[in-house]
Every structure is written in C-alpha cells, then in structure tokens.
Amino acid sequence: MAENNHSHFQHLYFVLTGIPGLEQKYYWMAFPLGAIYVIALFGNGVIISTIKSELSLHIPMYYFLCMLALADMGLALCTLPSMLGIFWFNYKSITFDACLVQMYFIHTFSAIESGVLVAMAFDRVVAIWNPLRYSTILTNGVVCRTGVLILTRAVCVVFPVPFLIKRLPFYGSNILSHSFCLHQDVMRLACASTRVNSLYGLIAVIFTKGSDSLSILLSYVFILRTVMAITSGEGRLKALNTCVSHICAVLIFYVPLIGVSVIHRFGKHLSPLTHALMANAYLIVPPVLNPIVYTVKTKEIRRKIIQIFVQTKITAEG
C-alpha cells in the first residue's frame, strides 16, 4: 500500500551540485566562470553580427557557422542561471518543472549543434569535391531547409524526454550530480524501473549524435580521397586548410561528449570531482572555444572584434 501511495509522488525540487570538494572556493570561482560565459556570449554574438553585416560572408559555409553560434549561445544560456546561482549565491535548489525545462533545452541545443556540424561537413564535401557547382548545389533555399530539418529533428527527438521523466516517482534522494539537469542524472534518482527511459535515451543518441558522428567521419573519408586526387601539393594543403576550423569544432564538441559518456558508463569508481568537471567541460567548452577558433581563421570576424574594442575605448575616454 505504501508503495502504491507513493507511485505518483515527485519531489518539489532537486538539489544541484557544484564542484565537490571545492565548496569553500565557490565565490572566487564564480568570477572566472562569469568571464567564461561572457566570452561565450560575446564571441558567438560577434560571429552572428559579423555574418549578418558582411555581405562577403553571405555564403552557405558562414550561414551554417551562424547556426552553430546560435546553438552555442543556447547551450550557454541554458546552464548560466543554475551555475552562477550555485557559485555566486550558493543557491542550489531547482524546482522539478524548471529542471525538466532546463533538461529539455540542454539536450535540444546539443542535438542541434551535432546536426549543424554534419551540415558543415557536407558543405566542405561540396566545396572540395565540386567547387564550380558549390553555389548551385547549396542554394539559400537548401541551407534554410537544412536548418529547419536540424531544428525539427532536435525538437521532436528530445520532446518525449521530460514526459518520460515526469511519469516516474521520486521519493528518495533529490541530490543531482551536476550544476544543471541532464536526463541520465535525473533518471538515476527515480524509484521505479527506468528501462523505457534508458531505451529511448539510447535510441535518441544513436539517431542524433551516433548517426551524425558517422556521417562526419564518412564525409572526411570522402574529402581525403578527393584531396589525394589533387595533383599539386599546394592544392592539397589549400583544400585541407578550409577544413581546419570545422575539424576543430567537431573535436571540441565530440571529445568532451565521448569523455562524459565513457565516465558515466565505466567510471563509477572515479571521484565525483572528475564526473563534475567532465560534465561541465561538455557544456561549457564548445560555446567558448568555437568562437575563438573561427575568429582566428576568419579575418572579417577579427576585424569586427577590433572595431568593437576601439569603439569601446573611444567611448570610455570620451
């Protein structure tokens, strides 16, 4: 009877966890954390603004980069409130429904970013394989439809996740392992079978990040075969150089993701600090490093940042 009475019980709130063992240093850690978020939001904002204002960047490659920057900003904004709440105000509580909303948007923006990386890989395939037909294959209409498809897939795949969590009873521990809500972290606190959640989560990951990573790998196999067919060494280097930024973006996204997955599956013996750091890296590193990579490789973005700093300096001195 007791079990039946609790069958639909849920916590009013969950307790988030910062970085275990460093609780006394949270206030000071909040400043570099805040700087990281400023860099992420400012960097991606500059990329979007530059692509919008520079007519020379109105090509598919940079339209996809704009989508990547939007996804990175979404990821940063999803985690910013809860993380700064913990480190600045020691506020660790999050309501059950707010946790589900945060979980949904984190996984949605992560799936969008994965899809955009596939689109960028296809863009590089077309540019290297058939550069003369690049503008006719990747028209503005194709780019728009690709963006809508990426968004629709992410929204639809992640949509059932909060409802699958909502149906579970929670009357045991309410302490999460991270500074934000992730599906697998909330799921482990349920006091009932989570087989359906685990199965759907596996299917969703295979359908999104699994198929995306395979598509990117096959794209670069095709790119390497095409590049090796180029007779001149200078031509090969020039072709490969156009892929450097995208390769960096892929590594920045997938290396932390794989690390988190491996630790979650096989690292039960590792300290909570390791789990927390890897989870934070998975969501914080891409929004911060992607703008840096593309700023280094794109002179228009570098010029825009210099203009902003010069204008800021003139305003401050005036």
Side-chain angles (χ1 to χ4, degrees), residues 108-239:
T108 297
F109 280 115
S110 181
I112 290 172
E113 181 153 352
S114 180
V116 171
L117 290 173
V118 175
M120 296 174 82
F122 180 71
D123 171 85
R124 292 299 83 206
V125 167
V126 176
I128 293 173
W129 168 61
N130 201 341
L132 297 178
R133 295 188 59 201
Y134 178 76
S135 59
T136 57
I137 294 174
L138 287 175
T139 62
N140 288 343
V142 170
V143 172
C144 288
R145 287 193 292 273
T146 301
V148 170
L149 179 62
I150 291 170
L151 176 62
T152 303
R153 184 190 69 161
V155 169
C156 293
V157 168
V158 183
F159 186 75
V161 171
F163 297 99
L164 290 174
I165 290 290
K166 187 83 172 176
R167 70 185 180 86
L168 296 173
F170 293 88
Y171 47 85
S173 173
N174 67 336
I175 300 175
L176 298 172
S177 304
H178 307 304
S179 307
F180 35 77
C181 297
L182 296 176
H183 176 237
Q184 61 268 32
D185 196 23
V186 176
M187 182 179 66
R188 70 177 179 82
L189 299 180
C191 300
S193 173
T194 58
R195 183 175 300 176
V196 174
N197 294 66
S198 297
L199 180 60
Y200 185 80
L202 178 62
I203 293 171
V205 168
I206 292 173
F207 182 63
T208 54
K209 291 159 189 174
S211 61
D212 289 349
S213 58
L214 180 61
S215 298
I216 293 170
L217 179 62
L218 294 175
S219 296
Y220 273 98
V221 169
F222 185 81
I223 286 172
L224 285 175
R225 289 184 60 185
T226 305
V227 169
M228 294 307 293
I230 299 175
T231 53
S232 69
E234 183 181 351
R236 292 177 185 176
L237 288 176
K238 186 177 180 181

